[in-house]
Amino acid sequence: MMKLNIRFACLLALSTLAVGVSPAWSNPVGADDSQLTDITVISNNIELNRAKNLARQVAEKANGGLGKYRAEAAMHGASAQSPFVENDDGSWTFTFQGHQPGASVYTVETVVTVFPDGRVRVDYNGRIRNSLNVR
């Protein structure tokens, strides 16, 4: 009897979730343009957030790990507000700064390009190159 109740509860939960799914989200073929735009924005934000995280993680590793390096706060927040440019080939280039844990002065500038297929290239990782980049 207990197995039947658990199965019924699971079936009921899955049914409730399935009913709550909008057809526009599950099947965009028949969706109007505004719904497709919403889907594209969500997809792009997920990809951009993944790219931002990859860029930050590569910088952390290149600078000795979290025990020795912390990227600026923008690399931990909303991906759309991170310091990036979208390139013509669909990749993103992030230019950001970092410092030692507990420090308040940024000492390292890192430029990382992340490609849509997940490849990552460190374009620069060293001293901050000019005062215009200081945040």
Side-chain angles (χ1 to χ4, degrees):
M1 184 72 168
M2 183 66 155
K3 284 187 178 181
L4 181 61
N5 287 339
I6 292 173
R7 288 182 184 156
F8 179 73
C10 290
L11 180 61
L12 180 63
L14 289 173
S15 298
T16 303
L17 289 173
V19 169
V21 174
S22 167
W25 290 102
S26 61
N27 185 12
V29 174
D32 66 25
D33 287 343
S34 67
Q35 291 167 329
L36 289 176
T37 300
D38 291 344
I39 292 168
T40 302
V41 168
I42 289 171
S43 176
N44 287 346
N45 282 340
I46 290 170
E47 292 170 8
L48 177 59
N49 194 56
R50 177 177 165 263
K52 176 198 69 171
N53 289 336
L54 286 171
R56 187 189 69 245
Q57 291 165 359
V58 164
E60 291 165 352
K61 185 175 182 179
N63 289 291
L66 288 174
K68 296 182 178 184
Y69 173 85
R70 294 286 196 280
E72 66 179 88
M75 291 303 288
H76 296 277
S79 56
Q81 296 170 355
S82 62
F84 76 95
V85 294
E86 188 168 354
N87 302 310
D88 291 338
D89 63 358
S91 65
W92 296 275
T93 299
F94 297 84
T95 302
F96 55 98
Q97 298 176 0
H99 54 67
Q100 292 181 346
S104 59
V105 177
Y106 293 111
T107 57
V108 178
E109 177 182 348
T110 304
V111 180
V112 177
T113 300
V114 181
F115 298 89
D117 63 5
R119 288 179 296 124
V120 179
R121 181 182 70 217
V122 177
D123 301 314
Y124 178 80
N125 186 57
R127 297 178 59 101
I128 295 174
R129 293 180 279 190
N130 65 49
S131 62
L132 296 177
N133 289 334
V134 177
R135 294 184 192 127

